[in-house]
Amino acid sequence: MAMPLPVATGTWNVVPGEGGKLAGSEFLHGAVHHVSYVYPAAPATAADYKLDGQWTNSIGAAAVFKTVGMTAFRTNISTVVVPALTKDACSLDPVIALVVDLPPGWEWCPGTGVQQVFTVRPNLGPLAEVCHLAHHLLAMRSTIEARRRQMAKLNVPEVSVTTDAGREKTEKTTSYRLNWTDVLAGGRGAVVKALQAGPPTQMISGPPSKNPQNQEMNRVVAAEMFKADAGLTQLERLGLIDLDGKSGKTFMPSKGKLVVLSPDRSADLHAAYNHIRFLLYMEWRGVHELLI
């Protein structure tokens, strides 16, 4: 039996944005995801998509995927994909595999001008909506990969803590290794648990960029993230992690005068944690919006 033909062939490329201080952040901030489609029985189309402006900072953007024509697809996500999710892989990957076929060697953060061809899978719903969903998922997965690569540069491999600081006889400095791969997996486990709890739980009130949204996201992922790594568990026990502080910063340079990060890596720790927290928010929201 012949396989059905794809409903569209797409060409995707990314125009990097203004970026930030770190190389690679141009795929996070202001990047434009361009897709052009060729259809067997329809005129070719092209569109640009800026994920940060059109989705990340717009809490109501998901309504576009909740039409009647997408009900069967969303039911499949709820009943088949989500129950099979694990903490060890991006939660969007099995969703993307339902929507598009990507060739071997696909690169999520390609160089400027690199164009990659993919096909949209048949029988998923109205053509225009499925193609828009494909565009959205490609942009989101590219941004998640760019953030994961940023994490590799930001992650602090080890911290030192001085206890009884200033007390000559009892002062002690201890180093703690931090395994951020385990931290990411621990946080994703919390996201998977939230997605599998069903019916869909209430989303947080906005992207976790600042209070109160970051505290809301903390309540979803932080406990599992810190529990996943012995070093972070120790920092929390020593009082150097403050999830409910009004400063909006999770890591503290000291606890009183006697417990001190030496040197102070609290800002670096916060940046590393915040990248993971935002990455997990994107995975959670991206799947959550497709649940029935």
Side-chain angles (χ1 to χ4, degrees), residues 46-188:
D48 288 334
Y49 191 54
K50 295 184 73 170
L51 188 73
D52 49 358
Q54 292 172 250
W55 182 79
T56 306
N57 297 317
S58 174
I59 197 67
V64 70
F65 305 124
K66 294 186 177 179
T67 62
V68 173
M70 296 297 288
T71 298
F73 172 77
R74 293 173 57 230
T75 299
N76 192 24
I77 300 297
S78 297
T79 60
V80 178
V81 172
V82 168
L85 292 176
T86 75
K87 66 179 182 179
D88 298 317
C90 176
S91 298
L92 282 174
D93 286 351
V95 179
I96 292 171
L98 285 179
V99 179
V100 296
D101 289 317
L102 305 178
W106 180 271
E107 172 57 59
W108 285 116
C109 297
T112 302
V114 175
Q115 300 192 7
Q116 298 179 103
V117 177
F118 63 95
T119 53
V120 178
R121 305 194 74 185
N123 306 323
L124 298 177
L127 179 61
E129 295 178 39
V130 173
C131 287
H132 177 65
L133 175 60
H135 196 177
H136 169 67
L137 290 172
L138 294 178
M140 186 157 42
R141 188 64 178 86
S142 173
T143 304
I144 287 173
E145 175 59 20
R147 193 168 289 277
R148 189 196 65 79
R149 295 184 188 187
Q150 290 290 82
M151 283 166 43
K153 302 172 185 177
L154 291 168
N155 289 350
V156 180
E158 187 174 26
V159 293
S160 295
V161 180
T162 299
T163 54
D164 280 352
R167 294 180 174 177
E168 184 177 345
K169 293 184 178 181
T170 57
E171 181 178 283
K172 180 181 179 181
T173 298
T174 305
S175 294
Y176 299 103
R177 297 288 300 175
L178 305 177
N179 187 324
W180 293 94
T181 300
D182 288 349
V183 174
L184 174 59
R188 183 180 285 122

Side-chain angles (χ1 to χ4, degrees), residues 196-273:
Q196 291 175 341
T201 55
Q202 178 64 40
M203 289 295 295
I204 68 173
S205 60
S209 305
K210 54 187 177 181
N211 283 332
Q213 287 83 6
N214 60 9
Q215 290 182 334
E216 294 172 344
M217 194 62 188
N218 282 346
R219 286 192 285 271
V220 176
V221 299
E224 296 300 320
M225 288 176 70
F226 299 148
K227 186 170 67 176
D229 177 73
L232 290 182
T233 299
Q234 283 295 97
L235 293 186
E236 190 170 25
R237 185 183 64 80
L238 291 167
L240 295 173
I241 292 176
D242 180 18
L243 290 178
D244 297 317
K246 294 182 180 179
S247 70
K249 295 185 177 180
T250 305
F251 294 88
M252 300 293 105
S254 62
K255 175 65 174 178
K257 296 181 179 180
L258 298 180
V259 180
V260 181
L261 273 176
S262 52
D264 178 10
R265 301 296 302 274
S266 58
D268 297 328
L269 288 167
H270 180 72
Y273 169 70

Side-chain angles (χ1 to χ4, degrees), residues 55 59 62 65-66 74 136 284-291:
W55 182 79
I59 197 67
F65 305 124
K66 294 186 177 179
R74 293 173 57 230
H136 169 67
W284 178 32
R285 181 180 168 190
V287 177
H288 183 280
E289 289 177 336
L290 296 175
L291 298 181

